[in-house]
Amino acid sequence: MKTIIKALLLLGAGLAYTMPAVSAQGEKADLNQFKACAQIENDSKRLTCFDEAAAVFDFAKAKENLKEAATLKAEAAKLREENKQRRLAEEARIEAEKQREADLAALALEEFGQRGATEGDFKEFKSTVVATKKPQFGGVYIKLDNGHIWQNIDKTSAGSLPPGSAVTIKETNFGGFFMIVESSGKSVRIKRVN
C-alpha cells in the first residue's frame, strides 16, 4: 500500500511539473503553456499537458485577438497604399511642373534675341501662330511668330490653332489680354508666359 501511495505521489508530482500553471485565481492558460507541453517527451504526459492547457485556454479571446490583429494589419496595408499613392501623385505633379518649365524654356529659346521676343508694351497687335503645346495641367501654350508665348487661361478652347493661324492680341481696360482667332472669330482670355 505504501508503494502505491509513493507511486501516486511521484506521478502527481510529475504531472504537476509538466502541467500548465493555473493560479488559484483561475487565470487562463497562454500559448507559452502549450509550448511547454510540446517539450515533454512522454506521449501520455504530453497529451495530458495539452488537455489541461486546452481546458483553461481562452479560445474565444484568442480568436478575438486574431481578428483584431487581422484588422490592424489590413488598416496598416491600406495606409501604406494611400501614402504610396500620395507620394506618386506628388512626384507626378513635380515632374509635370518641371516639364512645363522645360517646355517654356525651349519655346522661348527658339526665338531668343529676335525682334519682339521680349517686347510687351502694346495695346493690340496681329500675329500668326507658330506652334501650340498642350501641357499635362493648364491651358494650351501658343507661340507666336514674334516670339511671344501665351497661355489660354479661359475655360473655353480657342479651337483649332494650326501653324499659320492669324490671331489678334488685345489688351483689356483692366490689364488682361484676349486673343481673337481670325478664322473662327473666337475670343479667349490669355496670359503672357515669356
Side-chain angles (χ1 to χ4, degrees), residues 91-108:
E91 288 171 1
R93 187 195 66 76
I94 290 169
E95 191 58 36
E97 184 61 26
K98 286 180 183 176
Q99 185 61 49
R100 174 187 173 278
E101 289 173 8
D103 290 344
L104 285 175
L107 285 170

Side-chain angles (χ1 to χ4, degrees), residues 28-69:
K28 301 291 185 182
D30 64 17
L31 293 178
N32 289 329
Q33 292 166 322
F34 287 102
K35 289 178 183 176
C37 293
Q39 302 301 316
I40 299 170
E41 291 184 17
N42 182 287
D43 290 344
S44 65
K45 287 181 180 178
R46 186 172 57 251
L47 180 59
T48 302
C49 181
F50 277 123
D51 288 344
E52 292 292 329
V56 293
F57 187 74
D58 190 347
F59 286 98
K61 180 69 175 171
K63 186 176 180 181
E64 183 181 314
N65 288 344
L66 286 173
K67 185 177 179 182
E68 184 178 343

